Amino acid sequence: MRRRRFLSLISTATFFLPGWNSTGWLQAEEEKTTDLLKTFVDEFVAITPGTASFPASFQMGSSQGEPNEKPVHEVKLSKAFAIAKYEVPQNLFHAVMGYNPSRWPGPRNSAERMSWNEANEFCRKVTAALRADKRIEQDETIRLPTEAEWEYCCRAGTETRYSFGDEPRTKADLPPATSILNEFAWHTGNAAGNDPQVGVLKPNPWGLYDIHGYLWEFTADAWSPNYEQAPADGSAVTSEDESSKIVIRGGSWKDAYPLLTSSARRGLSKTAKDDAIGFRCVKSK
């Protein structure tokens, strides 16, 4: 009797499978995406160079760093913009792109293992979605930060090696467990893998989380081996060569403290993917 009843229930049940074209299921997915878009927009930090605590200009690069961080030069930013306080999380990336490339799954973990081209495609798609949802103006766009904007926001008005000071440890002879860096960044000294949620550690002075470590972050710039020809207005260095490298910033959970400074930079192929690389977005006119 129980077996017949069980089979009867199976024959009359409706199964909600991913991709099933049900109005109710699609509506739930749309509502979920709308909530994610709202959260995404709400988590931007307004940056207004030349007002309040935002300096009009800053010294980009480091005289103590590697050759690709030199020469130190002044950059003046004249336009306001906003930057995401977190790297793009996996739930939002999946909602916008329809897939999640990440090795370390978790809805609020940073999305990783996408290419630079895929990150730009995300920016195009999320811009269209936010405009359609009337969450940004029609003349606003979501994009990758320029390298200068990224360093300006990472430094947050500071002139030290990190946004929290010059030293990653309280004393040079102390073990990594007492590292100041541990309070702000996931790196080789405290990360077993790229698996935490965004925003677990302390933010920089402007409220940006995981700006040091966790994941390297894409920028809009083509790679230059130094700053000899760097723009002074904060604009991106561009290249029409599809084989040219782009710039990533911030260091990752796979790196030691020297690569997590505010000025550290690396070149990367546009098609390269890694579980230590992700991105955060900028919103601008």
Side-chain angles (χ1 to χ4, degrees), residues 49-205:
T51 67
S53 61
F54 304 102
S57 62
F58 76 106
Q59 297 297 309
M60 184 172 180
S62 172
S63 60
Q64 308 299 317
E66 297 186 16
N68 64 45
E69 301 171 36
K70 304 171 184 178
V72 176
H73 58 289
E74 183 177 70
V75 174
K76 185 174 183 178
L77 302 174
S78 60
K79 296 180 180 179
F81 60 96
I83 189 167
K85 66 169 62 175
Y86 305 119
E87 294 162 345
V88 172
Q90 292 176 29
N91 55 4
L92 178 64
F93 190 95
H94 184 273
V96 172
M97 299 293 283
Y99 65 94
N100 181 8
S102 306
R103 176 186 176 188
W104 308 93
R108 284 291 284 180
N109 297 5
S110 292
E112 21 89 3
R113 211 164 57 170
M114 77 291 292
S115 69
W116 184 79
N117 291 323
E118 288 175 290
N120 279 288
E121 181 64 13
F122 169 90
C123 290
R124 286 188 288 270
K125 286 187 174 182
V126 80
T127 294
L130 290 170
R131 287 175 180 173
D133 208 31
K134 294 182 170 52
R135 299 210 175 267
I136 62 173
E137 301 297 328
Q138 293 301 308
D139 63 347
E140 289 183 309
T141 188
I142 305 298
R143 58 174 174 81
L144 296 178
T146 70
E147 186 178 12
E149 288 172 340
W150 189 97
E151 185 167 329
Y152 175 82
C153 291
C154 178
R155 290 186 176 281
T158 67
E159 297 180 355
T160 47
R161 292 179 66 208
Y162 305 90
S163 63
F164 54 82
D166 280 318
E167 297 300 327
R169 301 178 185 178
T170 52
K171 289 184 179 180
D173 59 342
L174 291 177
T178 59
S179 170
I180 302 172
L181 187 62
N182 285 357
E183 300 177 21
F184 295 86
W186 297 111
H187 58 102
T188 54
N190 66 350
N194 176 23
D195 53 3
Q197 294 186 8
V198 296
V200 172
L201 301 179
K202 292 181 179 179
N204 78 352

